[in-house]
Every structure is written in C-alpha cells, then in structure tokens.
Amino acid sequence: MQTFRMNASFLPAFMEALKRWGTLVAPVERGAGTYVLQAIDDVSLARPDALRTILPFKKLLLKPRFAMLERRDGGRTEEVFDNDMGPIVYFGAHACDIHALEILDLIYMTDYVDPYYRRNRERLTVVGYGCMPDEYCFCESLGTETVERGFDVFLTPLGDRFLVTVCSARGDDIVRANPELFEPASRADTRDYLKRLQEREQSFSLAMDVTDLPYVLELKREDPVWDEVGKKCLCCGSCSMVCPTCACFNVVDERPELGRAVRARTWDACLYRDYATVAGGHNFRADRADRVRNRYYHKQEAFVREFGKPSCVGCGRCIENCPTGINVVEVFKYVRGEL
Amino acid sequence: MSVVIPKPFVPRGGPRELATGPNPYLPAPARIMRAADLVPDVRLFELRFTDSTLADSFTFRPGQFVELSVEGVGEGPFSLPSSPTRRGVFQLGIRRAGKLTDFLFNYLSEGDEVGIRGPLGNGFPVERLEGSDLMLVAGGLGMVPLRGLLQYVVDLRERFGRVMLLYGSRNPDAVLFREELESLARRGDVELHLSVDATQGKPWSGRVGVVTELLDEVVCDVPSTYAVACGPPVFYKFMLEKLVAMGFGRDRIFLSLERRMECGIGKCGHCAVGYTFTCLHGPVFSYWDAMNLPELIYT
Amino acid sequence: MAKSKPKVGIFGLTGCAGDQLQILNCEDQLIPLARQMDIVDWVMASSRNDHTCRLDIAFVEGVVATERDLESLKEIRARTKTLVALGTCAVWGGLPAMHNEIPREVLQREVYHSSPLHFLDTVEALPPTHFVPFEITLPGCPIERHEFLRVAHALLAGAMPEFHMLPVCWECKAKENLCRVVYFQEVCAGAMTRGGCGARCPSHAVACAGCRGPLEEPNYDANITMFADRGISWVEIARKMSQFSAPVWIKQGLEKEVRHERRR
Amino acid sequence: MSAAGRSIVIPHLGRVEGHGGIFVKVVGGRVHEVNMDIFEGSRYYEALLKGKHFLDVQGVITRVCAICSAGHTVAALAALENALGIGSSPRVFKMRGLLTLGATIESHALHVFALALPDFLGFDSVIAMAEKYPREVTFALKLKQLGNRIQELIGGRAVHPVNTLVGGFGKLPRHRDLEEIRAALAAAQGPLAGFVELAASIEVPDFAARPTVFVALRPHEEGYRFRGSTLCTSRGEEFPVAEYRDVVREFTVEHSHAKHAALASGETYMVGSLARLALWGDRLVGQAREAFQRLFPRGVEENVLTNTWAQLVELVHCLERGQQVCEELLGLPEEEREMQDYRVRAGRGVGAIEVPRGTLIHEYSFDDDGIIESANVITPTAQNLANTERDLRAAVERLLASDVGSESILKLKLEMVARAYDPCISCSVHVTCL
C-alpha cells in the first residue's frame, strides 16, 4: 500500500483522468437527497460524498435482468454478452461497498466461477471515497468501517486535500500516469487522516452487537420475534434489491419473438413467496415468517459459519428502504432480549 | 466490534469445472437415444452427448444429477438412474410434473436434442460404502437415484457386502424398474423387499402398507451396514427415526434431498438452507449433517 | 416438433377492448405472428369468422356483464383447448366489478333514467375466471405487449409461458424510483400487486393503483397498517384501494372501509 | 328476391370496436325497421364515479374505452380543471394536445388501414390484406406505432395513460425523445402522401349519401385544432359547450344499450372527421390542404362513406401539426415534472374535445371535499347512432331499388356504412346523465 496527497482542486482533473480506465460511474443526485449510480461524462455531476445510492454497485456487475443464453431455431445455444458492460471505473465506493464487493467475490468467484460476474469484475476499477456516517450506518459494528484491500485507489477527504491510498497495481498505474496530481503524503497528512478516522468513529449513532451472533441465532431459532417480523413484512423484496450483498437470482426461459429463445436471469429475493417452490408445487418455505427468518439467518448466521464473517456490511440501505420500518439492528436487539 | 470466527479472505477452493464446459450455465447438446415409459407418468430417457469426446469421457458419481434444458421452455434438475460404470450413454428418469416435463413428454422423442449441464452435486460416498452391507430404502420416485447406486454396486458387486433394497410405491402399477429389480433378486445380487400403499385390485405378492413397515421384514447386522434413503419429503419423517431406532448411527444413514435448484452450482440461492446449498454441498447428506441444518429435512 | 398452425380465437366480452387493442399494438410482430397461426375467429379485426370450430388457443378479455356474455364464454370454453384470460377484467373483474354491492337496478336508473328497462339483461360484473377454468391468466389494465408476446410465442412452441409472481416493488426498485410510500407518504399498492408492468406508475411519479391485481397471499394487514401509521386516513386508504380488482381486496377485509367511504 | 316480410340480419358486426349488429326488416318492398343493435354490456362507470374523489376520475373514466382512452383523459382533466377554476400552463396544454394528436394518429391509422380499407380493396381483414399489400400494411402499422409512441411518451402508456394528472404531468418528456418523435413524424409524411394517391384512385360509392347536419367544436385558435369551447353546426348555429344539454337531446331506444342523441330540433346529426372537415377544412394548411383538395375536389359532400378519406386527410394534418407542437415544446426548458397547485373546492365543469370519432363532452360536479356528485359523458358514437340508422335506411332503400345482387353483397354494403362511422361501441354504452 502506498499513500499520496492530492489537492482538492485536482479532483475534476483526476476524474477526467480515470476515464482512460473505463466508463466513469459515480453517484449522481436523482431527487433531493437521493442518489443513483450512473455513467457520467460531465464529472461535475458526481457526488462521491453521497452516502448511499438507491441500488448498490452490484448493478454494475450483474444487471437486474440480463440474457445469459440465446438460441435461434435450428441453431446452437450460445452465450450472449448482454451483461457485459466493458471496463468500468466505479468512483465513490465507500468502505462498506468495498467489503460488500469482497462478499460478492466469495459468492461468485469460488467453487464454480460465474462467468457473467467475472467478466465485469475483472474489468472493474474501484476508486474509494471516505465518508461520514448518518443515522442508518452501522458498519462500525460489523468491522467494515475501514478497508485495507479490495480497491485500486482510495481518497479520504481532508478539507483542502485528499489522502490517497493505492492498493493495487492498477491503482499504481493510475497514479503514475498522472504524476502532476499527486505528491508524497506528509506527516501532517497522516496526522489529519488519523484525526478524521477518530472523529468518524465517534459519529456513529447506530450500533449492533454481533458477539457470538451465530450461536445466539441458533438458540433463538424458534423465538416469537420471527413471527412478529413476519407479520410486519410486506415481502416486497426491497431490502434484498438494495442490499449490496444479496445475490440470489431467478432463471427464466422465454421466447420474446418468433424463432428465438432466451434464457434470462433476474435478481430474486428469498422473501418472495415462490422462492422455494419446486416443480410439482411443493413450497419449502410457504410461511412468511420462515422466509423472513431465512433471510436473517442466511446473512448473519450461515455466512459466518462458512466464511467467518456475516454477509452484512452495515450500509443501512435496508433500514432506509423498508416501507414498514423493519430495522435489522432492532430485530437483533429483540433477539438478544434487549428490547 | 468482534467478528466471530476470524478467517482471512481466501476462496475455499480452486475453481471447479463441469464436464460439460467452462461456462457452467451453458448446456451441452445431447441426443435422446431412447425414451420409454417406466410407468404411465415416469419416463426413462437415454441420452448421449452429441460431441463424441464428451460422450465418451463423461462420468459422474451415483447420486449426482444433471440439469436438463430445452431453451425457451425451461431447465430442471434430474437424478441419474444409471451408473458411471456404463460409459457412452446416461439415463434420466423423469416424472411429469410441470411445464418443462410436459414439454418433454409431449414433444420430444428419440433423435431430438436437449441441453445437459453436469454432473452436479456431491453424490453418494461410494468409497465409504465399500466393504459394508447396504440397506437401500426408496420411496416412490426416490428409486431413480438409488437405481443409479444399485447399478454401480451390481457392476462392482465384489466390493460390497449384502445389498438389501426396500422399496415402497403407491400401487403395483407405480413400481419403477420392476422387472429389472426382480431379475437382480433372482440372480442373488440384491435382496428385494417391495411394498405398495394399496393394491387397487391388481395382483400383488409383496407387502401392502407403508414403506417403513418393510424395515420389520429385514434382519441385518446394523453395525456393518450403511443405510441410504431416498424419497419424497413425507417419506423421511418416519423412516429416519425408525432407522435410528434400529441402531443405525446417524452418520451411517445417507439421504438425498430435493429442493428448488436452478443454477445447480451454488449461486442462485434457491436451494440454500442457511449457507448449505442442496445443489452444491448436497443433494446427499448424512442424517447427522442434515438434522443439524434446521429446515433441511422438511417436516 | 413440426405442427400444423394452431387455430386461434380472440374474444372480447364486456370491456374497453384495451387488451385486444394491445394485441393490435404489437405492430412490429403482428403480421409475422399472425402467419404462424390460423386466426379463425376475431370479430374486432375480421368480418369473416368461424364461430363454431374447435380452437387450440383462445384469448378472452372483458367481464361477464350480461347473460349473453356468459353464454359466449361457455361456448368458447367448450371449443377451446388452451384458454387464456387477458387483462385484469378477465382475471379479477377489474373496474367494472368495483361496486358489485350496488344493485344493478339502481345503476340503471341512474344511467338511463327510465324504468323498467327490460332490454337490459345486465347482471353484476364478474370475471370470466369466476365461471370457467382458464389455463393461463395474464392480468394488466391493459395487458403488457411483451407479456402477451411471451404467452403467444410460448404457446406456439408448445410450451406453457412462465411468469414469476413478483410484486411491482421489484421493478420499481430495479428502476431506482423513489418509493411512493417511504418518500411521499402515499397509498401505493405496489407491494401487493403482481408486477410485469415495469412499475409504470411509480416511474411516472404516481403511486401504484394495483391495476394488475394481487399477488398470491399479499400481506394485506401489514400494508394497511403501514399506510395508517403514516397518518393516512382510512377513507383515503379505502378510496385508493377499492378500484382495480376490488372484489379481491374486499375479500381481504376491506369491505367495511369501502362501504364507509361511499356516500350514496 | 322476394320483397315480402324479409329480414336482413348482421348478427355481429366485424372490424369495429365493441359488440353490435344490424337488423333490417323489409315488409312489402318497403323498409319497415332499421336498428343498430348494441348488445355490449354496461359497466356504469359514470354511476360508479359518484362518491369517488375527483382525483380518481381519470383512472376510472379512461377505462370506458381503450382506443379513446387519451381523449377521455384529456376531456376529463379539462372538465375537472374547469370545475376547480384552474387553467393549464402552456406546456401542459401543448402536451395534452400532442397526446391527442398521437391518439388520433393511432386511431385513424387503425381504422383507415386495418378496419375500413379491406372493404375498399376486397379483403376480410388486414391480415388477409397483408399478403397482397405487405409494404402498405407494414407502413400503416408503423404509422399506428408512431401514434402509440407519442401516447407512451406523453401519457406513460399507449392505452390508459398514467402520467396525466389533474394540474399537470408526473414526468415530462426529455428533449431528445421529443426530437426523435419530431423526426419520425417528418419521416412518415412522404409515404403517407403515397396513400393519399392510392385513395384518390379508389372510387367511393354514394349509395348511402343523404342530407346530413354536421357538428364539431370551433377550434380554440386560428387553424385546424381538436380543442375548443363552442359547438358549431353546419347550419351555422353556435353554442357554448357548457350549454350542451340545451343542444343535445338524449333518449333511450329499446334495441340498444347505448342511448341515442339528436339536436333540439329533433334532427339527427353526424360528428367526426367528415364533420370537422365540412366545418373547418378551409383552415387546413400545407400538405393537409393539398390532401384535402385531392380527396375532396368538390368539397365535403354528404356521404358518410367518405369519412374514411376525411380521416386520411386528418392523418396528414396530425403529422404536420405534431412536428409543430414538438417544436414548441422543445422551445421550453427541460424539466422533470410540472404540477399546478390548487385548492379543492366545490365546483362544476365541462370539458370538450374532438376525438377521432367526433365531439366528446365530459361534465363533473363535486362537493367541497372533492367527492363527485354527478358525472356525465357524451360520446361521439352515441351521437352518431341515430344518424347511422337513417343512413342505413337510405342505403337499404336505394340498394333494394337498384338490383345489387346477392344478399351477402347487400350485407357487406350495409356493414361498410356502419364501419364508415368508425363506431366505438364500448364508448357508446356509457352515455349517462346523472
């Protein structure tokens, strides 16, 4: 890892320079206080300090819906490249996003490698950007508030300048190609950086106790709290759509036009009623409460057993987007008997 | 903050590949060599990959499955009722149960092509079973994967001890592979115990009643026997506890489970129970592992 | 797999003809599609029709609002192998059924001013699915063209079309719209309503009115509570939810509120 | 052919929107009875609106009819906004105008090419016609698609718009989309001119010609427009639309779920493209003017069969006018949304618009809470029904007098008369007065 400093006024020039590595994608404002990730040409539209975009970056790697395979009548089934987005520079990734990217890698790049994910992933350049938490952030509780790997370059704003961390050979390329933008970091820069980290640590208002979470959850499997949450949940799937690590998908076969068959893939959510229904009609999770519980157990218990950490990064999107106000932090407080 | 079990970020294993190609979602074309009804709603399809190199090299473990697809119609997981000891072709036993299988039954016959991906899943632990007696317990369509195991055992007969097959069906017309099983029994390769829920007025010499009752018929040396059970969700409910009551260790009972499987490679999430993917880590589990994954055995 | 051209009929009972129009609106694919089938009975598009032959596929839109509608429906069912209900009217009853609790005589008096009107054999509006079984139901007010094409092409290929039953919220989130409930405190039926429309209304900054009918087992109570918790009055909630597929909502327990809302 | 006590029955009229038939009884060589038999079921939307909020009106009333859904929407919003005492901003007014043009292009293209033209060229349906005239049918469908694209862009959906709200629009179109529409409209002009030539080569029979009163709205400004607030007749009478109840008399007839209408004088009348051309055709400019002169060299005559050609002239007009409106909208700054603030108060309002089939009038009144107390919709097809029956009677008399040949030819000719009105039966059964 190398560190540099960059003058804050160089930011537009830096973003222009990033375009050499691919389509520049950054948060832009959609409505008052709401942001979406979007390819931009005009760098002044970028709002890297925006805390959350409605959909997380996973949409850059896997579209909500894309064609996987196609077959024309009389021909062979062929792979199609509907999901291939070319080289992308994702500008404005926060620490939690970068942790989420690692989790997606665990899901999609282990055992059988998903080629649709891999092709976009390998061409993805990640430029991080330091943030300050709001009332929905609880990344600190999950240890995802800082990040040491998984990005190419990371900018931490320090008033009139940025501390620039470089973590990959591609990041190194970017710095070397634009020497006029960077200078070595000074002691004052690192001092201010540490000060900022401290300040940030103190600004979290939401916290979740994850001590022994899998064991606690195992003991609480039959707890009435799951029925309670089940009664409140609309099963609209919004939490899964906006979750940076929810990665389930459906496979749909269709004939959109004469002589052409397409196998498409769409994001799915385990809260949807037919999620576990098999051919013949048996539904292994017909009860709403079972589906809700499954979502929490998959992320906070089973994933920990498998990979040593939960597949939740504390970004707060599900809390912000749940129409009935189901709050993961509160749910776990209930589970622990604290509420 | 405390992460419970610290573990560095390392993929669990090297990338795996399917026999059918580097893109695990891309099916390889296979031709239907033979299609014959086993019983009115279950048909046995014999397939061969059109690529002859793949056809000759294709192998799998008994208990694994493949995804069969017809583009534009659908894709579904099907158990292999044949044994890898017989090369060149493989079989699928398919029951008519939905849109894809309707299409297979209505429109596809010998000479037509379908897409196949596989082999998928873990399969039965055949190496572990070698040298022991085997008690195979099948309910209904559960006979399909067990027939693959049975064929494997018969082809390598000297490696296994006694082989008992306990098989329950709805009625005498629903018994799969009946002639073949009876001929194996006559040869002495397998001890066959059949039951039906009801005779429905058809001639029947076996037992009438639920399949669990067959367990009362057999006498075996439990400590040197492995039990392998396969059937619909309701079948497991009584079967497993009865086997335990007979003295089987929970790690000496294996079962093959059904779930909604779409991708077959542990990505899409539909068959997951916790982080256990029935398609990837299963479909074969020891009873001990399965009972420690709440929800896995559906009651 | 070669088959002869399937015989197809397209029928409208009482309704706005919007679903038949949506078929005509498949402009680019209409003629190639028509070549793959033998459309033998389609009054809206042809003046020569065979009203008696066996049909492989029939599409029916509209509600049953007269004895004559019911007769036609039964005849169509009897001669058809695969029957497809097109549109919310055919599947759920739609808008024409929204006030089935008001006697038709009252409505007739209000509309036609004279009585008795023996020429009106009108019965209460009910969806065709109430009377006869359908192989496929495709809701929408009107149906979405791409969904119709998927049904038609699947049937032509001999397969049943596949639709995942996902709520409108799925598509709404995929389009990154601002949630009408969370950000605007509106009554939005998206979480209860079957998607497939591409979240048209929320994408135009209008709350979902539920025109595609309910999902299987929507969490009705939680939706009502969610609106009420945001300070929206029961009258307002009932007003917004009593339009499309009202009979279904009423079965879900909204009847009281609907009656409460009416001032007749 | 015996002339004693025979009936001519067309049980189910094809190639029209909705369900109706024609029944003619001839006794002793004289036409005894001519009925347009409308058996489409009633849905009573206007009655169902009573007790609903005025904000729900558009979503409900548009479902009266799919083909006319944009017209019903614009008329309903105009009536409601009049009741609230708010006008529309220039942008909103123009956008609704563009929506109307899109709907007219779609509807006219459908009727002219897919429903009526097969009669003139000797086919049962447009699908059969496509085999012989593939290029023409493809273009006609493209034109119809363009109408739908406009409705989709402005209304959010080709059928039953969702973007149209009391006070404005939920989402405004992007400039690049408007530019695309403008270009597509321009590109369609050439091929359409070819159709005008094809039409000019077809002789229109005159067996249904009969003296007729034409009624249409006076355009709100100089030029050929589809919106206005004054009803005019070809007799030279004029009435403010708000007083339509004094002009249009409605009555029920035994054989029809749809009411019939006549002028206060008892005369039946015709609304629609031909009526508009008769009254305001001299205001057409550009290619539309040329098309008008080409297809109506002697001016508009009282022969309903020429209504299809009148629609063709209006198609040419819509392509030109649509480009102008796009131009005007492009002159305004690009914005996300436009909504007017208003205060809910009791009110009554009338809104009228010329839709493809003629004059459409909506009237609503609501109380201080915005709850609808009464609703009234007068559709063009209902206004035309009585006139249609008289035309049919004239045609039967004339056809029986001259030996027309087989009964099937006679029936076809009667169907042509009914189809020429482009009747919209779904709409027609919803004539109400509360």
Side-chain angles (χ1 to χ4, degrees), chain A residues 54-71:
Chain A
I54 298 178
L55 288 184
F57 68 92
K58 70 179 175 185
K59 73 168 187 179
L60 304 178
L61 297 167
L62 295 164
K63 289 184 191 170
R65 180 196 162 91
F66 65 88
M68 303 166 80
L69 305 171
E70 182 182 299
R71 178 186 173 133

Side-chain angles (χ1 to χ4, degrees), chain C residues 12 25 43 112-113 118 239, chain D residues 15 19 56 144 254 257 433:
Chain C
N25 284 350
V43 171
Y112 293 94
H113 287 305
H118 59 270
R239 172 168 89 76
Chain D
R15 278 187 276 131
H19 303 297
D56 298 335
K144 186 169 132 23
E254 290 271 314
H257 283 196
C433 191

Side-chain angles (χ1 to χ4, degrees), chain B residues 110-134:
Chain B
E110 285 162 31
D112 287 330
E113 269 188 16
V114 294
I116 296 288
R117 298 193 287 132
L120 299 158
N122 57 357
F124 297 112
V126 281
E127 295 83 358
R128 232 177 111 183
L129 305 182
E130 281 182 18
S132 298
D133 293 349
L134 294 183

